[in-house]
Amino acid sequence: MVQSNNDSDKNDAVDEIKEYYDYQQQVVYEADDDIEDVLDRTSIASSMFTSWMKYDDKEFIDAIKEASLSGSGFYLRFLFSTMLLSSSLCKPEIVWQNTWEYLSDGILYNQQQRLKSPSLSLNEDQHKNLTLFEIEQILLRNNSSLKKYGKMPYLDVDSVSSSNSRLITEELDYDIPNLKNDFDRLFVASTNEQRDIFLDIMDAVKHSRGGVFFVYGYGGTSSLLLTGGRTTHSRFIIPINLTEDSFCRINPKSDLSSLVRKTSLIIWDEAPMVHKHAFEALDRTLKDILKCANPTNSNIPFGGKVIVFGGDFRQILHVVLGGNRQNIVNAS
């Protein structure tokens, strides 16, 4: 409640001290009192009511920490979910912030088992997100959701989907510090032309503009394999026997389809050696997969993905068995 000797000042004061008003805390002041001075009072900052609420949440924080001594992570997540469902927590987000490390116990192991990847690691955001996902599943089974609890963080669904995809996890399994060192060394050593090409491509990636680039490299300049690279036929399941109407065999509901949707940049080296029907097949497939997110993607080359082709047209072009020069050029 807000009490004033001058009713005309009440409306202005309510906005300034809304946090205390929400908790029905009494704030008594004179009409000519400065609001900032009122809010700075010790009695305002810590009343019996607000102190009691903080202590009520501390009890639950302590309960979770104590339960972690003998209980599994699954049990702790169930316990926290029960606290939410019973509306016992004054500020659920505070309890979460102080206990998420206990609640996330076992999450990493579960992911390693699920993805059959014993060496898998998770960063803090992934740990939190997957823990929230587990809690949300418990709440949903009880006709509730994290969305119902004020300032409680909500899970990033796309991130959970990515974390649960073996293909995406493998694709993101880079040694980032080493790659950063390589980048710094190579970027400084690049020519102005090379630097401009790199910046143009990265600008297209950053702003999700899409685009098709061809980087012409003399023979031998691309002798090092890309980290984690795969042949295009194996990665995109491009048919061996291609026709002008071919599609890549990617199920729209598969993990590979999810990987394609998450991909920001595709680099296809030694492109001149590949039949043009392979590029056309990938083009049709990406348009088909990505049009679900945005119908206009079906009218953009490669569904709006950034594609970088590389190679040297002076090297061997695509081989056409028994073909003449015209057949080879037509296939390129």
Side-chain angles (χ1 to χ4, degrees):
M1 295 178 61
V2 178
Q3 296 178 345
S4 172
N5 293 338
N6 187 338
D7 290 341
S8 64
D9 292 331
K10 281 187 177 180
N11 291 335
D12 293 336
V14 167
D15 290 336
E16 294 290 336
I17 53 178
K18 186 176 186 302
E19 179 180 357
Y20 309 104
Y21 178 76
D22 287 342
Y23 294 137
Q24 298 295 298
Q25 178 180 343
Q26 285 195 345
V27 179
V28 182
Y29 61 95
E30 299 295 332
D32 56 349
D33 282 348
D34 182 80
I35 291 297
E36 292 187 1
D37 292 338
V38 173
L39 295 177
D40 285 339
R41 293 176 186 169
T42 304
S43 60
I44 297 298
S46 179
S47 69
M48 180 181 295
F49 182 66
T50 55
S51 297
W52 172 78
M53 286 196 301
K54 290 179 182 178
Y55 181 79
D56 190 13
D57 281 343
K58 186 177 183 303
E59 287 290 296
F60 290 111
I61 292 171
D62 291 342
I64 292 174
K65 290 181 178 179
E66 182 177 347
S68 70
L69 298 175
S70 58
S72 66
F74 174 80
Y75 170 75
L76 297 178
R77 292 187 286 276
F78 190 85
L79 176 62
F80 180 72
S81 300
T82 302
M83 292 176 179
L84 291 175
L85 291 167
S86 65
S87 300
S88 301
L89 307 181
C90 295
K91 288 191 174 183
E93 69 276 11
I94 299 298
V95 179
W96 161 257
Q97 291 169 10
N98 284 274
T99 62
W100 74 264
E101 291 181 276
Y102 299 95
L103 300 175
S104 67
D105 182 52
I107 290 293
L108 175 59
Y109 177 77
N110 292 342
Q111 283 299 98
Q112 290 173 335
Q113 296 298 111
R114 181 182 294 120
L115 301 177
K116 296 180 173 59
S117 177
S119 62
L120 174 71
S121 60
L122 299 173
N123 60 36
E124 182 176 312
D125 288 339
Q126 291 172 321
H127 248 121
K128 287 182 177 179
N129 206 44
L130 288 168
T131 303
L132 289 171
F133 173 75
E134 296 287 341
I135 293 170
E136 178 72 353
Q137 300 313 298
I138 298 172
L139 294 176
L140 289 174
R141 290 196 292 270
N142 289 276
N143 299 313
S144 189
S145 170
L146 287 167
K147 294 179 179 178
K148 294 184 178 181
Y149 299 97
K151 297 180 180 179
M152 265 297 294
Y154 191 70
L155 61 143
D156 182 341
V157 177
D158 288 339
S159 179
V160 169
S161 180
S162 298
S163 297
N164 287 330
S165 169
R166 179 182 57 81
L167 289 179
I168 294 177
T169 300
E170 290 177 352
E171 193 67 30
L172 295 176
D173 188 21
Y174 295 116
D175 189 337
I176 295 179
N178 280 341
L179 288 177
K180 178 65 166 59
N181 291 334
D182 289 342
F183 168 77
D184 292 338
R185 175 175 53 82
L186 294 171
F187 189 76
V188 171
S190 63
T191 65
N192 290 335
E193 184 180 19
Q194 291 171 332
R195 192 176 295 115
D196 289 341
I197 293 171
F198 171 78
L199 293 175
D200 282 346
I201 293 172
M202 293 312 298
D203 187 65
V205 172
K206 181 179 179 180
H207 295 96
S208 302
R209 286 203 314 268
V212 180
F213 300 84
F214 182 85
V215 179
Y216 177 72
Y218 296 108
T221 57
S222 299
S223 59
L224 294 179
L225 294 175
L226 294 172
T227 303
R230 294 274 299 274
T231 65
T232 51
H233 279 74
S234 65
R235 173 52 80 202
F236 297 116
I237 318 180
I238 300 174
I240 299 299
N241 299 315
L242 288 160
T243 69
E244 59 184 10
D245 299 316
S246 293
F247 274 80
C248 300
R249 299 191 182 96
I250 302 178
N251 187 320
K253 296 182 179 180
S254 66
D255 284 350
L256 180 53
S257 180
S258 298
L259 175 63
V260 168
R261 285 191 288 268
K262 293 284 290 183
T263 297
S264 302
L265 171 67
I266 297 173
I267 301 175
W268 190 332
D269 200 11
E270 304 295 354
M273 300 177 64
V274 182
H275 196 292
K276 69 177 182 181
H277 288 340
F279 305 119
E280 294 168 353
L282 180 61
D283 177 55
R284 292 188 197 94
T285 303
L286 292 183
K287 288 177 178 176
D288 187 57
I289 291 174
L290 299 170
K291 70 181 181 182
C292 297
N294 187 344
T296 61
N297 287 335
S298 60
N299 301 318
I300 306 173
F302 297 97
K305 292 296 181 183
V306 180
I307 308 286
V308 177
F309 296 111
D312 183 354
F313 280 106
R314 299 181 303 177
Q315 292 182 293
I316 298 175
L317 300 181
H318 179 72
V319 175
V320 178
L321 189 62
N324 55 29
R325 179 184 177 88
Q326 181 180 356
N327 298 137
I328 294 174
V329 172
N330 187 55
S332 300

